[in-house]
Amino acid sequence: SEAADQLGLMHYMEVMRLITVLELVAPTPDENVTVTDTEFNNVPVRLYLPRRAPGGLRRAMLYFHGGGWCLGDAGMKGYDHLARRISNELNAVVVSVNYRLAPQHRFPVPFEDVYSVTKFFLQSKVLSQYGVDPARVCVAGDSAGGNLAAAVAQELLEDPEVKTKLKAQILLYPALQALDLDLPSYRDNAHKPLLSRSLMIRFWSEYLTPDPALREAMASNSHVPAEAGPLLQLVNWSRLLPAGLREGHAYAAPGPGPARAYPGLLDPRAAPLLASEARLRRLPPAYILTCEHDVLRDEAVMYAGRLRAAGVPVTHHHAKDAFHGAMMFVQWPFELAVGHRLFNSFMDWLNENL
């Protein structure tokens, strides 16, 4: 990807997307679930409907895939498998959203796509059409999708047109801020699979701006505009992280950057960790998965702590033996015991709490 990009043959993310294409599977129904590709509010979605009799109103999940806002597809083998299992085992309607991707569609377009689908689905007539209980709907996502799920949950609170309240938000190793890219987890896991520090910086910069100067500034953690000063307390890991994760690390505040912020850098729709406590206080219960060997570990730990402090019920599952994306490793040829364990814990929580 790097070589093709530097030679001007193909954009870095276009090369990366070839991996996505290799993983795509058709929307094929099986004996348990009907699967169709359709659109909600002009946004492509893959819709999973259980075949068995509902026995009352069903649960529902809106799922947003990961991939750094630049990669991924609801039709990838791993996401198709996840949605089928949830639909079948929980007798739930699953809407897996194919939002538009950066760099062709930067912030706020991916957010606006998933928000548009969520708002459409939460209408009484649509919930009724699919036999969904309005009191049992959640948003969920992994990585960049976890970012989008957290942002959608927050934004719904401010929308007077939405009457349905979410039952839960499920955030699987989410990206939640880009103000400080020198957290202990970024230091410890800079070169770990599947998400290096440099790749995460590339994702953030492609999501926010075409200006390569941001990526360069982020690499040295010197990209914070003066107006962001008051927000730094919300990402101050020396105060917000538990002692075990701070051990062996000395805090250094992010360095000053451009005079004005890039769009999205300080916006909770792109960086949900920057939301005020007044906003967090009204959020639905959260399930947050973090992995020890993941650059995104610490911001999700801090978000769990801030949600708890605001009075939101939080189930925080921290996997000490896992890396970013581990929960998707449940199918041959990329099958790991840790993937099955994390997936089963996730399913157990959904069954009890959704």
Side-chain angles (χ1 to χ4, degrees):
S1 298
E2 198 72 57
D5 194 45
Q6 288 180 1
L7 291 170
L9 301 175
M10 211 174 190
H11 189 281
Y12 182 92
M13 291 304 170
E14 288 179 344
V15 185
M16 295 281 282
R17 259 181 228 159
L18 296 176
I19 303 166
T20 299
V21 173
L22 293 172
E23 283 286 300
L24 291 180
V25 293
T28 310
D30 58 37
E31 67 273 19
N32 301 313
V33 180
T34 300
V35 185
T36 51
D37 282 345
T38 183
E39 289 187 352
F40 282 178
N41 245 11
N42 300 313
V43 178
V45 301
R46 185 163 286 196
L47 181 64
Y48 298 80
L49 301 173
R51 284 184 181 271
R52 69 176 182 270
L57 293 176
R58 289 189 168 100
R59 302 181 263 201
M61 172 184 286
L62 294 127
Y63 194 87
F64 315 136
H65 67 76
W69 310 278
C70 298
L71 313 171
D73 192 288
M76 288 175 71
K77 188 178 173 186
Y79 292 119
D80 184 71
H81 173 76
L82 175 142
R84 283 174 192 273
R85 274 194 63 181
I86 292 167
S87 184
N88 179 36
E89 295 179 28
L90 301 183
N91 201 18
V93 175
V94 179
V95 181
S96 194
V97 185
N98 262 329
Y99 53 91
R100 285 171 289 175
L101 300 172
Q104 288 84 356
H105 305 283
R106 302 185 198 275
F107 175 82
V109 174
F111 167 79
E112 288 173 343
D113 280 358
V114 296
Y115 190 75
S116 171
V117 169
T118 304
K119 189 170 175 176
F120 174 86
F121 187 72
L122 291 178
Q123 295 176 99
S124 297
K125 63 181 181 183
V126 178
L127 295 173
S128 177
Q129 178 185 344
Y130 293 106
V132 171
D133 184 344
R136 303 180 80 185
V137 182
C138 72
V139 290
D142 63 296
S143 195
N147 166 283
L148 295 169
V152 165
Q154 289 186 14
E155 193 72 7
L156 286 171
L157 302 173
E158 316 296 332
D159 196 330
E161 295 178 5
V162 180
K163 307 301 181 194
T164 305
K165 305 292 185 192
L166 292 177
K167 180 74 182 291
Q169 53 179 324
I170 292 94
L171 315 177
L172 308 172
Y173 24 83
L176 297 166
Q177 62 84 37
L179 270 191
D180 191 346
L181 301 172
D182 191 37
L183 306 174
S185 58
Y186 268 98
R187 298 175 187 177
D188 292 343
N189 304 304
H191 305 291
K192 300 264 181 82
L194 294 168
L195 183 66
S196 66
R197 180 177 187 268
S198 61
L199 181 56
M200 191 63 226
I201 287 171
R202 182 82 192 228
F203 282 143
W204 268 118
S205 64
E206 295 288 3
Y207 186 38
L208 299 179
T209 178
D211 184 357
L214 178 61
R215 188 159 82 244
E216 293 168 16
M218 282 180 159
S220 58
N221 209 39
S222 55
H223 60 286
V224 178
E227 66 194 276
L231 294 173
L232 286 177
Q233 62 177 329
L234 302 179
V235 297
N236 185 338
W237 57 265
S238 68
R239 188 174 58 86
L240 295 170
L241 279 183
L245 295 180
R246 300 193 311 263
E247 199 173 332
H249 293 282
Y251 179 73
R260 289 177 62 248
Y262 288 91
L265 188 65
L266 311 182
D267 190 327
R269 294 176 302 162
L273 185 59
L274 303 185
S276 66
E277 184 177 333
R279 197 179 209 199
L280 298 183
R281 205 177 294 136
R282 296 182 289 141
L283 284 168
Y287 177 89
I288 298 177
L289 171 63
T290 55
C291 299
E292 181 72 20
H293 308 289
D294 180 4
V295 292
L296 300 181
R297 177 194 70 201
D298 291 350
E299 56 208 68
V301 170
M302 289 193 285
Y303 196 56
R306 288 199 63 215
L307 287 173
R308 279 204 188 104
V312 177
V314 177
T315 300
H316 175 203
H317 182 184
H318 181 64
K320 291 196 170 185
D321 58 347
F323 53 89
H324 188 81
M327 202 188 90
M328 302 303 284
F329 284 71
V330 291
Q331 290 175 288
W332 186 91
F334 306 111
E335 191 171 2
L336 297 173
V338 66
H340 284 287
R341 194 184 79 236
L342 298 182
F343 203 113
N344 291 337
S345 296
F346 160 75
M347 291 294 290
D348 289 345
W349 189 89
L350 280 176
N351 197 35
E352 291 174 19
N353 294 276
L354 181 59

